[in-house]
Amino acid sequence: MTRHNRILLSCFYWGFVAYVFVPLILMVTMGFKDSKFIGFPIKSWTLDWYASVFADSETISAFGYSVAIAVLSTLISVVVGTWIAVLLEGRKFWGRAAIFGMTVLPALIPGIISAIAFRIYARYLGIEPGMGAIVWSHAVHNVPFVVLVVMARLSTLPKSQIEAARDLGADPLIAFLRITFPYLVPAIMGASIFCLLLSFDDFVRSFFLGGYEPTLPVLIFAKLKSGMSPEINAIATVALILTAVIGVWAERFTRRMNKDS
Amino acid sequence: MSYDASARQERGTVAAHASDRTFWGRLASWAPYRALVQVATASPRRQFVILAVFPILWVLTQHLGPMLQMLRVSLTDAYPVAANVEQHFTFDNYVRFFGDSIFWMPFFRTLIFAAAFTFCTLVLTYPVAYFLARHVSPKNRMLLLLLLLIPFWVGEIVRTYAIMILLGNTGAVNMVLRWFGLIDRPIPFMYTSFSMGVGIVYLTALYMLLPLYSALEKLPKSLNEAAADLGAGAWTRFRRVTLPLTLEGISSGCTLVFLISTGFYATPVLLGGPSTTVFAETIAGFFHVAGDEWPTGAAFAVIMFLAALAITAGFQRLMSALRKGDTK
């Protein structure tokens, strides 16, 4: 009985693996098709679509634009998120639960509603649609993830180390910078990479807060609306490889850091 | 004890001497810095205020602010306000929602779809999480989990496009079916609630899988063994032991997936058709056409958010009632 269950469950697992991998593999394969029409079967192969992607200045600049937005928004999220985490972790004060609730709020709001709210607020603050607005909305949206990751790490910091530093004459700021901060680095690195990917992959906020210049997901969306083409497959494949490689590397990196300390 | 204390003091002095030459030592003995620290840390209260002011202002203005502003705009008759127009308080935007089925049909469709897709995700990922947590050795577990995480690093649009290629008329599924001679002409999967479901489940599966996995992993194996010793069959063990003890994971996974599913915009646009318009598309319409109707769009977003919150809150209460009922 258990043996049967085991086999059945492992079939389920590998079926699920197929479900999450096969569409992506098909998409990558289609980028090498030597025909304008998306569809099977593929009779001849080509690399031309990749050549045209790397020659297309619109795609290249969308790529750079997305990367710049991801880096800037991540910097803001990490600084703000770490600050909030340090305030919230291990401290009891009036209103703490309310502040924590507000902190995680942006992560719980469904995508379209968050995009609309940011759009309205950006108008209220006088931020024009464009890079600044996108960076701001991504930064706010990603803060909760940084807070949660950093708080988890902070809760395992041995308090005795801080006390020792204070006994030896360090003021709170130096104790933070020399004891707490180095201890938080793995969490901050992990959270940053997560934020980078969230921002790079984000569509809905970039779509509603963007100006005329498209981010990479917005560009792919616009191209898709005017029809499928293997060129889109090539663009999507480049984006896919970049995000998957960074994601896997981050996973391994955080695991190693956690093991070391 | 006394030896320890004196040793620590000695080390302290040595460190202080050595630190004069380091960056930190110089910073700590730099007069303006010391004055600043002294002012800032004069009392624990002041220290706390300095630490707390920025985060509190941030969450109030950046996290709560946009939602409050959206609520405010939804209660006005004109926004953005033109130069010679006066802005009035009104409930008309909310009334408008109930007046026309073109508005509330997509709304209920969204909620029903989101609930159905959440259920599908749960049914699909529970066996996967169960297999990982119970039937795989801890050594391989991380590897097999990591394998599943890779596709989830890829963005929403790219994965939606991958589903389009899978399900299109000349897509892989139709090709395979035709290859085996099961069909003569392609089945139109695309632009239906089916293609939308496949896409949304694909996008949200991870948010269900991880809570389920961590709930199942925490479950001690001995409980199942004890139930088996007492004569419970596999199905009874699952129904009476495993399922009740993983309700918390199910509850948080479902809440997360439901909230995310209601918020998709690009996926329904690309994978859905005219008969599957979701509320996100309705809301977006108020912000994209030439005559922007922001207050109505804002009101609809508020309605949607409140409905989603109410449903998840009700669901969580139900789940916690179930949990309590089981422990009694």
Side-chain angles (χ1 to χ4, degrees):
Chain A
M1 189 60 206
T2 341
R3 203 194 177 86
H4 277 275
N5 271 351
R6 202 194 149 92
I7 293 167
L8 195 70
L9 282 169
S10 81
C11 285
F12 234 105
Y13 172 81
W14 291 107
F16 188 73
V17 169
Y19 174 46
V20 295
F21 273 97
V22 165
L24 292 176
I25 293 168
L26 292 175
M27 194 210 67
V28 172
T29 319
M30 196 63 80
F32 297 100
K33 187 185 180 187
D34 191 10
S35 156
K36 270 186 90 130
F37 299 101
I38 291 285
F40 292 95
I42 299 174
K43 295 209 173 78
S44 62
W45 305 81
T46 178
L47 278 173
D48 288 356
W49 300 111
Y50 284 87
S52 75
V53 164
F54 287 110
D56 180 15
S57 65
E58 196 189 13
T59 309
I60 300 293
S61 76
F63 194 80
Y65 191 54
S66 282
V67 170
I69 287 170
V71 170
L72 287 174
S73 70
T74 299
L75 285 176
I76 300 172
S77 298
V78 163
V79 171
V80 175
T82 307
W83 195 331
I84 296 178
V86 169
L87 172 70
L88 290 177
E89 178 58 44
R91 247 176 261 269
K92 283 192 189 121
F93 54 91
W94 186 85
R96 182 186 177 278
I99 292 174
F100 183 74
M102 283 189 278
T103 302
V104 295
L105 182 70
L108 293 177
I109 301 172
I112 181 77
I113 298 170
S114 124
I116 295 302
F118 282 133
R119 170 88 182 256
I120 293 171
Y121 204 61
R123 171 77 67 98
Y124 174 68
L125 294 178
I127 308 174
E128 287 294 312
M131 188 168 174
I134 301 179
V135 167
W136 165 73
S137 71
H138 286 185
V140 174
H141 177 255
N142 294 346
V143 161
F145 302 104
V146 180
V147 174
L148 293 177
V149 173
V150 173
M151 272 177 82
R153 176 80 178 169
L154 205 52
S155 68
T156 63
L157 171 74
K159 282 248 161 60
S160 55
Q161 290 194 7
I162 298 284
E163 280 156 19
R166 298 298 304 278
D167 283 352
L168 293 172
D171 61 63
L173 185 64
I174 286 187
F176 174 80
L177 290 175
R178 297 196 66 184
I179 309 287
T180 314
F181 184 73
Y183 188 76
L184 292 181
V185 164
I188 290 176
M189 287 300 287
S192 325
I193 291 162
F194 190 62
C195 290
L196 279 175
L197 290 172
L198 276 182
S199 168
F200 187 78
D201 287 340
D202 178 76
F203 168 77
V204 74
R205 276 160 285 271
S206 308
F207 184 65
F208 282 95
L209 287 141
Y212 294 108
E213 209 179 339
T215 65
L216 198 62
V218 173
L219 183 77
I220 297 176
F221 179 79
K223 280 183 187 278
L224 273 179
K225 286 206 82 176
S226 58
M228 299 207 252
S229 134
E231 194 201 346
I232 305 176
N233 291 66
I235 301 174
T237 303
V238 174
L240 178 154
I241 289 170
L242 189 85
T243 45
V245 165
I246 293 177
V248 171
W249 177 75
E251 201 74 37
R252 293 189 49 162
F253 174 82
T254 44
R255 191 143 307 137
R256 210 169 44 227
M257 291 290 268
N258 284 340
K259 235 179 241 167
D260 286 349
S261 49
Chain B
M1 197 67 206
S2 67
Y3 167 75
D4 265 7
S6 68
R8 188 196 257 185
Q9 203 170 10
E10 205 168 295
R11 249 178 289 145
T13 6
V14 172
H17 275 294
S19 71
D20 282 348
R21 269 165 270 132
T22 67
F23 167 77
W24 297 105
R26 264 179 296 173
L27 179 69
S29 51
W30 189 44
Y33 174 81
R34 282 172 67 178
L36 196 72
V37 166
Q38 233 157 35
V39 172
T41 60
S43 70
R45 192 192 171 85
R46 184 179 293 176
Q47 212 176 309
F48 176 76
V49 168
I50 288 171
L51 180 66
V53 163
F54 173 75
I56 291 174
L57 280 180
W58 174 276
V59 295
L60 283 176
T61 60
Q62 309 300 313
H63 293 195
L64 197 60
M67 297 309 279
L68 292 180
Q69 177 65 10
M70 184 168 78
L71 183 66
R72 201 178 70 86
V73 167
S74 77
L75 292 168
T76 60
D77 61 351
Y79 191 89
V81 193
N84 49 0
V85 182
E86 224 176 297
Q87 202 181 21
H88 298 285
F89 174 87
T90 175
F91 277 115
D92 283 356
N93 302 311
Y94 290 90
V95 174
R96 203 174 156 192
F97 169 76
F98 298 99
D100 198 334
S101 70
I102 209 172
F103 297 143
W104 50 257
M105 277 289 283
F107 172 76
F108 288 112
R109 187 182 291 133
T110 304
L111 296 182
I112 292 166
F113 277 2
F117 297 155
T118 306
F119 183 74
C120 293
T121 316
L122 176 65
V123 172
L124 190 70
T125 52
Y126 201 99
V128 177
Y130 191 88
F131 173 74
L132 283 174
R134 309 307 292 275
H135 288 286
V136 180
S137 67
K139 220 178 97 192
N140 292 332
R141 211 178 273 167
M142 264 359 265
L143 202 69
L144 291 186
L145 193 63
L146 193 63
L147 184 68
L148 289 183
L149 293 188
I150 297 169
F152 291 96
W153 290 115
V154 179
E156 176 189 351
I157 298 288
V158 173
R159 276 190 284 158
T160 303
Y161 182 44
I163 294 292
M164 290 167 81
I165 289 172
L166 182 75
L167 294 181
N169 281 346
T170 52
V173 173
N174 273 317
M175 184 193 70
V176 170
L177 288 179
R178 208 170 341 179
W179 208 33
F180 284 111
L182 292 171
I183 49 169
D184 297 330
R185 66 175 92 169
I187 304 172
F189 291 116
M190 276 299 292
Y191 314 117
T192 61
S193 49
F194 175 75
S195 57
M196 215 168 102
V198 172
I200 288 182
V201 171
Y202 188 23
L203 290 171
T204 55
L206 182 74
Y207 299 101
M208 186 70 87
L209 185 72
L210 291 181
L212 288 181
Y213 171 77
S214 67
L216 281 162
E217 200 196 17
K218 267 187 280 180
L219 203 65
K221 266 205 167 116
S222 53
L223 283 178
N224 250 310
E225 283 156 13
D229 287 347
L230 293 172
W235 170 243
T236 317
R237 284 204 303 270
F238 175 72
R239 202 172 54 85
R240 301 287 298 274
V241 180
T242 312
L243 197 61
L245 289 173
T246 49
L247 275 181
E248 204 177 339
I250 294 175
S251 164
S252 52
C254 287
T255 305
L256 211 55
V257 169
F258 182 82
L259 285 175
I260 295 171
S261 307
T262 54
F264 279 121
Y265 170 70
T267 310
V269 167
L270 293 173
L271 293 177
S275 63
T276 61
T277 310
V278 295
F279 206 50
E281 295 171 71
T282 312
I283 295 174
F286 292 108
F287 291 83
H288 265 306
V289 285
D292 280 348
E293 293 179 272
W294 287 33
T296 313
F300 283 24
V302 170
I303 291 173
M304 170 128 181
F305 185 53
L306 292 181
L309 276 191
I311 289 172
T312 49
F315 176 74
Q316 291 210 321
R317 286 194 70 152
L318 182 78
M319 291 306 260
S320 68
L322 274 179
R323 273 217 300 282
K324 280 199 194 105
D326 272 311
T327 48
K328 259 176 208 163

